Amino acid sequence: MRIDAISIFPDFFQVLDISLLGKAQEQSLIQFKAHDLRTFTEDKHRTVDDTPFGGGAGMLMKPEPWGLALDSVLTENSVVIFPSPAGVPFKQATARELSSKEHLVFACGRYEGIDQRVLDYAQSRAEVREISLGDYVLNGGEVAAVAMIEAIARLIPGVIGNALSLDEESHSEGLLEYPSYTKPASWRGMDVPDVLLSGNHAEIAKWRKEQAMEKTRRIRPDLID
Ligand code: ADE
């Protein structure tokens, strides 16, 4: 998969060089590149923002650098993602769907957002998604994009060493994951549940399912509804 990110702060994406995603890049499972939006400006001050028509607080991102930046990365198979608190909520199902795409472009806005014509233009050239990481406001799309890229990329075959671990994690079956324990069996007066030491795989599976249900009902009843 090829992933491009366009931002005025491309350094935000350096974390993707670490750990499993860094390794995935080395193995060419992912080709990632961060682009500095300011390199697509054509004025002396490298301006990327301006005041909104109609008034209102803050500054908006100007369309011209975005047009040139998008033109430089878009292909016939691109999906353009605009991270935005006004977007559709990002879910595990979104990550799963996007993990099968050939090319993702993350267009990361700052300030009060991006001129709407940039989204309309992108839509005329590619599939476009406006996606929110959650119901809170970040200072820009970069942190949201990094989170989405990690959630998407780890589902690409070969990125996670043990693919089986993807089947049993939270949200893989619409439930939160059951509690897990490792050695020692007793620590600071707290014992690992007996069933996990029993060797009875059917009983262990049953216990884990019950725990997942109970935890989901308690913490995230909306997932069960
Ligand atoms: N940009 C600012 N806030 C955001 C959010 N909650 N999700 C995605 N992008 C954002």
Side-chain angles (χ1 to χ4, degrees):
M1 176 191 280
R2 185 177 144 205
I3 305 176
D4 290 285
I6 306 167
S7 160
I8 57 168
F9 296 120
D11 289 352
F12 263 103
F13 295 91
Q14 281 175 9
V15 291
L16 298 177
D17 294 340
I18 300 170
S19 186
L20 288 178
L21 295 201
K23 217 170 280 169
Q25 289 192 67
E26 281 169 19
Q27 295 171 344
S28 297
L29 295 169
I30 309 166
Q31 285 99 40
F32 176 78
K33 188 164 166 49
H35 306 262
D36 185 348
L37 181 69
R38 286 193 201 278
T39 63
F40 298 94
T41 56
E42 293 178 319
D43 64 313
K44 187 170 82 184
H45 300 291
R46 310 214 301 164
T47 313
V48 293
D49 62 333
D50 210 331
T51 53
F53 280 121
M59 301 288 271
L60 272 182
M61 296 193 105
K62 294 163 63 59
E64 304 96 314
W66 277 108
L68 295 173
L70 288 171
D71 288 346
S72 77
V73 294
L74 287 182
T75 71
E76 275 166 22
N77 301 310
S78 306
V79 178
V80 186
I81 297 154
F82 289 90
S84 161
V88 173
F90 185 74
K91 299 277 173 67
Q92 187 65 20
T94 324
R96 215 173 290 128
E97 189 206 339
L98 293 174
S99 71
S100 66
K101 303 287 184 184
E102 202 169 287
H103 182 212
L104 303 180
V105 177
F106 285 84
C108 301
R110 285 255 143 190
Y111 313 113
E112 297 305 311
I114 305 174
D115 187 303
Q116 178 61 36
R117 290 169 293 182
V118 175
L119 284 81
D120 298 342
Y121 173 70
Q123 209 139 30
S124 75
R125 301 259 334 248
E127 184 183 340
V128 168
R129 309 283 183 89
E130 208 176 344
I131 303 182
S132 170
L133 201 60
D135 292 338
Y136 41 81
V137 179
L138 304 168
N139 284 338
E142 289 80 4
V143 167
V146 166
M148 290 187 227
I149 290 168
E150 179 160 314
I152 294 163
R154 65 194 292 283
L155 300 178
I156 295 170
V159 172
I160 298 272
N162 180 5
L164 282 179
S165 62
L166 294 176
D167 295 336
E168 295 217 346
E169 61 193 9
S170 289
H171 301 291
S172 65
E173 284 189 80
L175 296 176
L176 304 184
E177 195 180 2
Y178 49 80
S180 300
Y181 302 85
T182 183
K183 296 175 199 65
S186 188
W187 177 73
R188 298 195 175 185
M190 292 176 281
D191 296 334
V192 171
D194 286 338
V195 63
L196 298 178
L197 310 177
S198 69
N200 184 331
H201 296 294
E203 279 301 311
I204 291 170
K206 182 164 161 267
W207 181 86
R208 285 178 167 165
K209 183 80 190 214
E210 286 164 1
Q211 291 287 318
M213 284 295 287
E214 187 281 321
K215 186 169 183 182
T216 308
R217 210 174 282 122
R218 178 162 44 87
I219 299 177
R220 292 292 305 277
D222 57 300
L223 294 179
I224 291 179
D225 296 344

XYZ file of all heavy atoms in Angstrom, residues 79-178:
758
model
N -7.592 7.037 -2.566
C -8.678 7.421 -1.662
C -8.125 8.572 -0.829
O -7.066 8.434 -0.216
C -9.102 6.260 -0.737
C -10.199 6.713 0.226
C -9.557 5.068 -1.553
N -8.823 9.714 -0.857
C -8.346 10.885 -0.110
C -9.112 10.978 1.200
O -10.349 10.973 1.208
C -8.528 12.187 -0.908
C -7.893 13.357 -0.151
C -7.928 12.062 -2.295
N -8.368 11.057 2.296
C -8.982 11.139 3.628
C -8.690 12.507 4.223
O -7.524 12.905 4.344
C -8.439 10.017 4.536
C -8.836 8.662 3.941
C -8.983 10.159 5.958
C -7.929 7.544 4.319
N -9.760 13.227 4.557
C -9.617 14.495 5.259
C -9.960 14.240 6.730
O -11.141 14.084 7.059
C -10.575 15.550 4.686
C -10.195 16.050 3.314
C -10.670 15.417 2.171
C -9.372 17.158 3.177
C -10.307 15.874 0.903
C -9.011 17.611 1.915
C -9.483 16.973 0.779
N -8.980 14.173 7.626
C -9.309 14.033 9.050
C -10.006 15.312 9.517
O -9.530 16.413 9.242
C -7.947 13.883 9.736
C -6.984 13.539 8.643
C -7.517 14.205 7.421
N -11.139 15.163 10.191
C -11.902 16.342 10.619
C -12.863 15.943 11.731
O -13.492 14.880 11.665
C -12.702 16.880 9.431
O -13.754 17.707 9.880
N -13.012 16.815 12.754
C -13.996 16.495 13.794
C -15.417 16.506 13.242
O -16.337 16.017 13.897
C -13.779 17.593 14.841
C -13.082 18.696 14.130
C -12.317 18.077 13.007
N -15.594 17.041 12.019
C -16.919 17.066 11.387
C -17.130 15.865 10.468
O -18.090 15.831 9.691
C -17.082 18.363 10.597
N -16.247 14.857 10.562
C -16.344 13.712 9.661
C -17.122 12.540 10.240
O -17.671 12.610 11.342
N -17.151 11.466 9.479
C -17.783 10.203 9.889
C -16.860 9.527 10.908
O -15.644 9.501 10.706
C -17.958 9.297 8.639
C -18.448 7.917 9.017
C -18.872 9.963 7.630
N -17.401 8.969 12.015
C -16.518 8.353 13.024
C -15.671 7.210 12.456
O -16.168 6.389 11.695
C -17.499 7.823 14.077
C -18.752 8.604 13.879
C -18.813 8.949 12.409
N -14.400 7.193 12.848
C -13.469 6.139 12.439
C -13.691 4.920 13.325
O -13.655 5.010 14.550
C -12.037 6.645 12.608
C -10.977 5.705 12.112
C -10.755 5.539 10.755
C -10.183 4.996 12.998
C -9.769 4.683 10.287
C -9.185 4.138 12.544
C -8.975 3.984 11.186
N -13.920 3.758 12.704
C -14.175 2.517 13.432
C -13.203 1.445 12.943
O -12.565 1.605 11.896
C -15.616 2.029 13.162
C -16.700 3.001 13.602
C -16.972 2.818 15.084
C -17.905 3.861 15.645
N -19.252 3.790 15.151
N -13.160 0.321 13.664
C -12.339 -0.810 13.213
C -12.755 -1.243 11.804
O -11.910 -1.594 10.985
C -12.449 -1.975 14.203
C -11.505 -3.134 13.926
C -10.032 -2.775 14.078
O -9.681 -1.800 14.721
N -9.171 -3.567 13.458
N -14.063 -1.183 11.532
C -14.549 -1.557 10.189
C -14.002 -0.601 9.127
O -13.717 -1.024 7.994
C -16.073 -1.564 10.157
N -13.846 0.676 9.485
C -13.263 1.644 8.541
C -11.813 1.261 8.261
O -11.361 1.262 7.109
C -13.275 3.074 9.153
O -14.441 3.274 9.923
C -13.131 4.127 8.089
N -11.078 0.936 9.342
C -9.676 0.545 9.185
C -9.566 -0.688 8.288
O -8.720 -0.759 7.395
C -9.058 0.265 10.552
N -10.469 -1.656 8.535
C -10.438 -2.900 7.757
C -10.676 -2.607 6.278
O -9.972 -3.087 5.401
C -11.509 -3.854 8.292
C -11.116 -5.299 8.242
C -12.140 -6.179 8.944
N -12.170 -6.030 10.387
C -13.271 -5.793 11.104
N -14.438 -5.670 10.514
N -13.202 -5.686 12.407
N -11.673 -1.778 6.011
C -12.009 -1.458 4.616
C -10.843 -0.719 3.938
O -10.438 -1.065 2.825
C -13.267 -0.593 4.584
C -13.807 -0.409 3.191
C -14.599 0.872 3.040
O -15.070 1.427 4.056
O -14.725 1.323 1.882
N -10.293 0.273 4.630
C -9.227 1.072 4.009
C -7.939 0.276 3.846
O -7.115 0.593 2.995
C -8.987 2.347 4.825
C -10.157 3.354 4.800
C -9.885 4.521 5.744
C -10.429 3.873 3.382
N -7.764 -0.795 4.659
C -6.523 -1.575 4.575
C -6.409 -2.340 3.253
O -5.334 -2.812 2.905
C -6.399 -2.545 5.752
O -7.338 -3.598 5.632
N -7.517 -2.442 2.516
C -7.442 -3.157 1.235
C -7.260 -2.200 0.056
O -7.218 -2.639 -1.100
C -8.709 -3.995 1.030
O -9.815 -3.132 0.887
N -7.149 -0.905 0.318
C -6.995 0.072 -0.777
C -5.540 0.121 -1.242
O -4.614 -0.211 -0.503
C -7.434 1.472 -0.326
C -8.858 1.538 0.199
C -9.886 1.413 -0.905
C -11.294 1.580 -0.347
N -12.325 1.359 -1.377
N -5.376 0.564 -2.481
C -4.041 0.609 -3.070
C -3.262 1.856 -2.634
O -2.051 1.806 -2.424
C -4.224 0.639 -4.583
C -3.060 0.190 -5.388
C -3.478 0.018 -6.836
O -4.196 -0.964 -7.131
O -3.128 0.888 -7.643
N -3.995 2.985 -2.518
C -3.315 4.265 -2.254
C -4.186 5.155 -1.381
O -5.322 5.455 -1.746
C -3.028 4.974 -3.589
C -2.303 6.269 -3.427
N -2.496 7.336 -4.287
C -1.390 6.688 -2.509
C -1.728 8.341 -3.902
N -1.046 7.980 -2.828
N -3.659 5.564 -0.237
C -4.384 6.496 0.641
C -3.633 7.823 0.687
O -2.407 7.848 0.762
C -4.476 5.932 2.068
C -5.123 4.556 2.230
C -5.133 4.150 3.708
C -6.549 4.557 1.684
N -4.392 8.915 0.642
C -3.817 10.258 0.778
C -4.485 10.928 1.970
O -5.709 11.111 1.969
C -4.056 11.103 -0.496
C -3.504 12.514 -0.299
C -3.439 10.441 -1.721
N -3.700 11.258 2.986
C -4.235 11.969 4.151
C -3.975 13.461 3.975
O -2.816 13.887 3.898
C -3.590 11.458 5.442
C -4.119 10.108 5.841
C -3.580 8.955 5.295
C -5.177 9.999 6.726
C -4.084 7.704 5.634
C -5.687 8.753 7.071
C -5.141 7.605 6.519
N -5.058 14.237 3.872
C -4.956 15.688 3.681
C -5.243 16.344 5.028
O -6.386 16.414 5.471
C -5.955 16.136 2.625
N -4.162 16.789 5.699
C -4.279 17.227 7.098
C -4.395 18.739 7.205
O -3.424 19.457 6.973
C -3.068 16.740 7.887
S -2.917 14.946 7.844
N -5.580 19.191 7.579
C -5.822 20.616 7.747
C -5.387 21.100 9.117
O -5.229 20.316 10.055
N -5.178 22.404 9.198
C -4.895 23.094 10.477
C -5.834 24.295 10.537
O -6.670 24.468 9.670
C -3.446 23.597 10.503
C -2.452 22.511 10.718
C -1.905 22.549 12.148
N -1.684 21.198 12.646
C -1.393 20.935 13.908
N -1.281 21.905 14.797
N -1.222 19.699 14.304
N -5.670 25.137 11.489
C -6.501 26.333 11.674
C -7.973 25.921 11.760
O -8.300 24.889 12.332
C -6.263 27.370 10.563
C -4.805 27.624 10.290
C -4.206 27.251 9.096
C -3.995 28.207 11.272
C -2.858 27.469 8.860
C -2.641 28.430 11.048
C -2.086 28.053 9.852
O -0.757 28.248 9.628
N -8.858 26.679 11.130
C -10.291 26.370 11.222
C -10.742 25.402 10.132
O -11.936 25.184 9.947
C -11.118 27.658 11.156
C -10.867 28.617 12.309
C -11.067 27.978 13.680
O -12.109 27.332 13.879
O -10.172 28.112 14.522
N -9.799 24.875 9.371
C -10.154 23.903 8.344
C -9.660 24.330 6.972
O -8.831 25.234 6.842
N -10.171 23.640 5.952
C -9.708 23.827 4.575
C -10.880 24.346 3.738
O -12.027 23.931 3.940
C -9.219 22.481 3.983
C -8.145 21.849 4.896
C -8.691 22.657 2.572
C -7.704 20.455 4.459
N -10.598 25.253 2.807
C -11.600 25.753 1.855
C -12.370 24.559 1.253
O -11.757 23.599 0.770
C -10.862 26.535 0.748
C -11.804 27.249 -0.207
O -12.665 26.564 -0.820
O -11.666 28.474 -0.359
N -13.696 24.620 1.306
C -14.545 23.499 0.874
C -14.245 23.059 -0.562
O -14.391 21.882 -0.902
C -16.024 23.899 0.997
C -17.014 22.833 0.533
C -16.917 21.527 1.334
O -16.667 21.553 2.551
N -17.081 20.393 0.671
N -13.789 24.008 -1.416
C -13.534 23.641 -2.818
C -12.418 22.613 -2.958
O -12.360 21.891 -3.951
C -13.227 24.904 -3.635
C -14.460 25.789 -3.808
C -14.089 27.128 -4.358
N -13.290 27.891 -3.383
C -12.848 29.131 -3.595
N -13.099 29.744 -4.739
N -12.144 29.748 -2.665
N -11.535 22.540 -1.958
C -10.470 21.530 -2.005
C -11.088 20.136 -1.891
O -10.723 19.214 -2.634
C -9.431 21.766 -0.882
C -8.398 20.647 -0.864
C -8.763 23.124 -1.061
N -12.061 19.995 -0.976
C -12.748 18.698 -0.840
C -13.542 18.377 -2.103
O -13.537 17.244 -2.581
C -13.672 18.700 0.380
C -12.981 18.558 1.734
C -12.418 19.884 2.220
C -13.901 17.975 2.775
N -14.203 19.411 -2.666
C -14.994 19.189 -3.877
C -14.091 18.803 -5.055
O -14.427 17.916 -5.842
C -15.802 20.451 -4.228
C -16.799 20.806 -3.124
O -17.105 19.924 -2.290
O -17.265 21.966 -3.090
N -12.921 19.469 -5.134
C -11.981 19.154 -6.205
C -11.473 17.718 -6.043
O -11.442 16.940 -7.018
C -10.801 20.135 -6.200
C -9.727 19.737 -7.175
C -9.938 19.822 -8.544
C -8.506 19.219 -6.735
C -8.973 19.417 -9.459
C -7.528 18.809 -7.632
C -7.771 18.915 -8.985
O -6.813 18.492 -9.881
N -11.100 17.370 -4.806
C -10.597 16.010 -4.556
C -11.645 14.982 -4.967
O -11.336 13.939 -5.556
C -10.226 15.848 -3.084
N -12.914 15.305 -4.670
C -14.016 14.389 -4.999
C -14.175 14.200 -6.518
O -14.618 13.155 -6.972
C -15.310 14.952 -4.431
C -16.320 13.902 -4.069
C -17.017 14.243 -2.760
O -17.174 15.420 -2.420
N -17.432 13.236 -2.033
N -13.789 15.226 -7.279
C -13.889 15.121 -8.745
C -12.770 14.242 -9.300
O -12.816 13.816 -10.447
C -13.824 16.516 -9.382
O -12.495 17.002 -9.351
N -11.738 13.973 -8.467
C -10.587 13.207 -8.941
C -10.463 11.840 -8.293
O -9.747 10.975 -8.799
C -9.279 13.979 -8.644
C -9.147 15.337 -9.255
C -8.264 15.369 -10.502
N -7.256 14.326 -10.597
C -5.949 14.534 -10.515
N -5.488 15.746 -10.318
N -5.106 13.543 -10.658
N -11.112 11.658 -7.127
C -10.877 10.431 -6.357
C -12.023 10.186 -5.388
O -12.900 11.031 -5.221
C -9.566 10.559 -5.578
N -11.973 8.999 -4.743
C -12.911 8.718 -3.653
C -12.462 9.538 -2.440
O -11.274 9.559 -2.113
C -12.828 7.222 -3.352
C -13.789 6.736 -2.312
C -13.580 5.233 -2.028
O -12.993 4.509 -2.868
O -13.989 4.818 -0.946
N -13.396 10.228 -1.806
C -13.035 11.105 -0.688
C -13.784 10.699 0.571
O -14.972 10.379 0.522
C -13.351 12.580 -1.039
C -13.265 13.468 0.198
C -12.392 13.093 -2.103
N -13.078 10.673 1.709
C -13.716 10.420 3.011
C -13.324 11.537 3.963
O -12.139 11.862 4.086
C -13.226 9.102 3.620
C -13.298 7.901 2.718
C -14.711 7.371 2.614
N -14.736 6.178 1.798
C -14.553 4.940 2.278
N -14.366 4.741 3.570
N -14.569 3.902 1.469
N -14.314 12.099 4.651
C -14.040 13.029 5.746
C -14.247 12.210 7.013
O -15.358 11.733 7.268
C -15.027 14.202 5.655
C -14.505 15.482 6.221
C -15.457 16.655 6.029
O -16.397 16.565 5.196
O -15.271 17.654 6.722
N -13.185 11.992 7.788
C -13.259 11.039 8.897
C -12.817 11.694 10.205
O -11.795 12.383 10.265
C -12.381 9.789 8.613
C -12.814 9.128 7.301
C -12.477 8.804 9.768
C -12.051 7.869 6.949
N -13.590 11.441 11.265
C -13.280 11.948 12.599
C -12.726 10.832 13.470
O -13.229 9.712 13.451
C -14.542 12.509 13.251
O -14.295 12.786 14.615
N -11.717 11.177 14.266
C -11.168 10.200 15.204
C -12.067 10.065 16.424
O -12.042 9.046 17.108
C -9.770 10.652 15.635
C -8.843 9.587 16.183
C -8.588 8.503 15.156
C -7.531 10.198 16.629
N -12.854 11.069 16.725
C -13.723 11.018 17.903
C -14.327 12.383 18.152
O -13.977 13.359 17.490
N -15.213 12.443 19.130
C -15.944 13.688 19.381
C -15.162 14.633 20.285
O -15.548 14.888 21.437
C -17.329 13.374 19.974
C -18.217 12.685 18.958
O -17.945 12.823 17.739
O -19.163 11.999 19.368
N -14.053 15.095 19.784
C -13.218 16.097 20.458
C -12.422 16.792 19.366
O -12.336 16.294 18.246
C -12.276 15.441 21.476
C -11.670 14.166 20.979
C -10.575 14.189 20.128
C -12.226 12.931 21.303
C -10.040 13.020 19.625
C -11.697 11.753 20.802
C -10.602 11.813 19.975
O -10.075 10.655 19.459
N -11.848 17.960 19.709
C -11.176 18.740 18.674
C -9.663 18.753 18.909
O -9.195 19.154 19.977
C -11.730 20.181 18.631
C -11.004 20.986 17.556
C -13.231 20.159 18.360
N -8.918 18.284 17.920
C -7.454 18.335 17.946
C -7.012 19.628 17.248
O -7.819 20.304 16.624
C -6.886 17.120 17.213
C -7.361 15.757 17.737
C -6.978 14.651 16.762
C -6.765 15.487 19.112
N -5.725 19.943 17.329
C -5.244 21.177 16.698
C -5.095 21.059 15.190
O -4.874 22.052 14.504
C -3.895 21.593 17.305
C -4.088 22.199 18.681
O -5.172 22.675 19.003
N -3.050 22.169 19.490
N -5.175 19.841 14.692
C -5.024 19.627 13.258
C -5.232 18.157 12.963
O -5.427 17.351 13.883
N -5.153 17.800 11.685
C -5.439 16.424 11.293
C -4.293 15.448 11.480
O -4.475 14.234 11.331
N -3.092 15.950 11.822
C -1.908 15.071 11.797
C -1.992 13.923 12.802
O -1.715 12.760 12.458
C -0.628 15.891 12.055
C -0.235 16.811 10.908
C -1.024 18.120 10.861
O -1.844 18.368 11.764
O -0.813 18.895 9.917
N -2.320 14.246 14.062
C -2.363 13.192 15.083
C -3.453 12.177 14.733
O -3.265 10.959 14.877
C -2.580 13.809 16.485
C -2.932 12.739 17.502
C -1.328 14.570 16.916
N -4.583 12.673 14.238
C -5.668 11.772 13.819
C -5.191 10.885 12.665
O -5.465 9.682 12.644
C -6.898 12.586 13.411
N -4.458 11.480 11.713
C -3.979 10.698 10.563
C -3.009 9.621 11.012
O -3.086 8.478 10.551
C -3.321 11.624 9.538
N -2.102 9.963 11.934
C -1.137 8.960 12.428
C -1.884 7.789 13.073
O -1.574 6.620 12.826
C -0.135 9.602 13.420
C 0.626 8.527 14.183
C 0.837 10.512 12.687
N -2.909 8.122 13.891
C -3.681 7.055 14.551
C -4.377 6.185 13.505
O -4.366 4.951 13.594
C -4.700 7.668 15.513
N -4.983 6.821 12.511
C -5.688 6.040 11.476
C -4.711 5.190 10.675
O -4.991 4.022 10.386
C -6.449 6.984 10.537
C -7.639 7.663 11.188
S -8.589 8.596 9.956
C -8.807 10.149 10.791
N -3.553 5.765 10.329
C -2.567 5.002 9.539
C -2.123 3.767 10.318
O -2.021 2.669 9.763
C -1.360 5.898 9.166
C -1.790 6.955 8.134
C -0.207 5.057 8.615
C -0.770 8.073 7.910
N -1.902 3.927 11.632
C -1.479 2.762 12.420
C -2.577 1.699 12.439
O -2.308 0.509 12.245
C -1.101 3.170 13.846
C -0.692 1.964 14.672
C 0.130 2.309 15.901
O 1.063 3.100 15.797
O -0.186 1.762 16.971
N -3.816 2.140 12.659
C -4.929 1.176 12.724
C -5.127 0.462 11.384
O -5.457 -0.722 11.349
C -6.218 1.894 13.137
N -4.925 1.188 10.289
C -5.110 0.611 8.948
C -3.937 -0.301 8.590
O -4.120 -1.454 8.178
C -5.236 1.733 7.893
C -6.519 2.539 8.106
C -5.171 1.162 6.473
C -6.531 3.889 7.398
N -2.713 0.225 8.780
C -1.521 -0.480 8.284
C -1.308 -1.813 8.991
O -0.838 -2.777 8.383
C -0.292 0.410 8.429
N -1.645 -1.889 10.296
C -1.413 -3.142 11.019
C -2.310 -4.267 10.526
O -2.083 -5.428 10.857
C -1.558 -2.937 12.528
C -2.935 -2.556 12.979
C -2.911 -2.053 14.414
N -2.595 -3.108 15.384
C -3.468 -4.023 15.787
N -4.690 -4.038 15.303
N -3.117 -4.934 16.661
N -3.346 -3.932 9.724
C -4.223 -4.968 9.163
C -3.728 -5.478 7.809
O -4.291 -6.414 7.249
C -5.652 -4.413 9.021
C -6.306 -3.959 10.337
C -7.682 -3.384 10.068
C -6.398 -5.115 11.322
N -2.687 -4.833 7.267
C -2.135 -5.286 5.986
C -1.355 -6.578 6.238
O -0.521 -6.629 7.155
C -1.222 -4.194 5.380
C -2.065 -2.966 5.028
C -0.468 -4.710 4.163
C -1.246 -1.745 4.646
N -1.639 -7.628 5.454
C -0.955 -8.908 5.681
C 0.567 -8.741 5.736
O 1.150 -8.086 4.873
C -1.381 -9.749 4.462
C -2.718 -9.174 4.070
C -2.628 -7.700 4.366
N 1.175 -9.299 6.799
C 2.629 -9.263 6.948
C 3.123 -8.180 7.887
O 4.247 -8.245 8.374
N 2.287 -7.179 8.170
C 2.747 -6.073 9.024
C 2.862 -6.510 10.487
O 3.838 -6.198 11.167
C 1.829 -4.831 8.879
C 2.186 -3.759 9.904
C 1.938 -4.266 7.463
N 1.865 -7.259 10.961
C 1.920 -7.816 12.319
C 2.470 -9.227 12.215
O 1.971 -10.024 11.413
C 0.493 -7.876 12.921
C -0.092 -6.478 13.044
C 0.474 -8.624 14.251
C 0.219 -5.778 14.322
N 3.499 -9.527 13.010
C 4.126 -10.848 12.938
C 3.127 -11.977 13.124
O 3.045 -12.889 12.315
N 2.318 -11.884 14.190
C 1.365 -12.951 14.515
C -0.041 -12.534 14.089
O -0.757 -11.866 14.836
C 1.420 -13.243 16.014
C 0.441 -14.339 16.408
O -0.210 -14.944 15.544
N 0.344 -14.589 17.700
N -0.431 -12.932 12.870
C -1.728 -12.504 12.333
C -2.889 -12.989 13.176
O -3.951 -12.365 13.211
C -1.885 -12.992 10.891
N -2.682 -14.123 13.906
C -3.764 -14.660 14.741
C -4.181 -13.662 15.816
O -5.337 -13.626 16.231
C -3.326 -15.965 15.409
C -3.350 -17.204 14.533
C -2.862 -18.403 15.325
C -4.751 -17.442 13.976
N -3.212 -12.832 16.277
C -3.532 -11.887 17.352
C -4.557 -10.868 16.882
O -5.217 -10.234 17.702
C -2.266 -11.215 17.878
O -1.654 -10.464 16.857
N -4.705 -10.679 15.573
C -5.699 -9.724 15.060
C -7.123 -10.233 15.264
O -8.066 -9.459 15.319
C -5.486 -9.470 13.558
C -4.193 -8.765 13.161
C -4.089 -8.689 11.648
C -4.106 -7.370 13.761
N -7.272 -11.584 15.360
C -8.619 -12.161 15.465
C -9.220 -12.012 16.848
O -10.410 -12.075 17.023
C -8.586 -13.662 15.125
C -8.206 -13.872 13.681
O -8.418 -12.936 12.883
O -7.694 -14.952 13.365
N -8.385 -11.852 17.867
C -8.872 -11.917 19.240
C -8.810 -10.585 19.950
O -8.949 -10.526 21.159
C -8.057 -12.956 20.021
C -8.271 -14.346 19.489
C -8.293 -15.390 20.581
O -7.890 -15.060 21.699
O -8.718 -16.513 20.290
N -8.547 -9.480 19.224
C -8.396 -8.218 19.925
C -9.720 -7.468 20.011
O -10.700 -7.835 19.364
C -7.319 -7.360 19.255
C -7.644 -7.003 17.833
C -6.436 -6.441 17.104
O -5.323 -6.479 17.643
O -6.624 -5.952 15.985
N -9.724 -6.402 20.826
C -10.936 -5.599 20.979
C -11.444 -5.146 19.618
O -10.666 -4.819 18.728
C -10.646 -4.359 21.832
O -10.445 -4.728 23.181
N -12.761 -5.152 19.482
C -13.474 -4.672 18.286
C -13.432 -5.626 17.104
O -14.136 -5.418 16.128
C -12.990 -3.272 17.853
C -13.176 -2.255 18.928
N -14.421 -1.820 19.321
C -12.292 -1.614 19.708
C -14.275 -0.946 20.300
N -13.000 -0.809 20.562
N -12.596 -6.700 17.177
C -12.537 -7.593 16.025
C -13.859 -8.325 15.848
O -14.242 -8.670 14.744
C -11.374 -8.574 16.135
O -11.569 -9.427 17.225
N -14.578 -8.575 16.970
C -15.894 -9.211 16.857
C -16.981 -8.334 17.443
O -17.997 -8.818 17.934
C -15.874 -10.560 17.577
C -15.143 -11.631 16.791
C -15.328 -12.991 17.429
O -16.380 -13.617 17.214
O -14.421 -13.398 18.165
N -16.735 -7.043 17.489
C -17.732 -6.118 18.010
C -17.777 -6.040 19.521
O -18.634 -5.385 20.088
N -16.847 -6.742 20.198
C -16.788 -6.706 21.666
C -15.422 -6.191 22.113
O -14.457 -6.236 21.356
C -16.982 -8.114 22.249
C -18.319 -8.803 22.025
C -18.263 -10.219 22.589
C -19.463 -8.023 22.653
N -15.355 -5.755 23.379
C -14.053 -5.423 23.963
C -13.342 -6.720 24.335
O -13.993 -7.726 24.631
C -14.242 -4.544 25.204
C -15.022 -3.249 24.993
C -15.048 -2.424 26.280
C -14.421 -2.418 23.860
N -12.017 -6.690 24.326
C -11.271 -7.911 24.608
C -11.354 -8.280 26.088
O -11.404 -7.411 26.956
C -9.801 -7.737 24.202
C -9.070 -9.069 24.135
C -7.611 -8.924 23.723
O -7.140 -7.797 23.524
O -6.950 -9.970 23.615
N -11.374 -9.589 26.362
C -11.378 -10.134 27.731
C -10.060 -9.780 28.431
O -9.050 -9.511 27.785
C -11.532 -11.658 27.666
C -10.574 -12.309 26.690
C -9.247 -12.549 27.044
C -10.991 -12.640 25.401
C -8.357 -13.114 26.149
C -10.100 -13.202 24.498
C -8.793 -13.439 24.871
O -7.908 -13.980 23.994
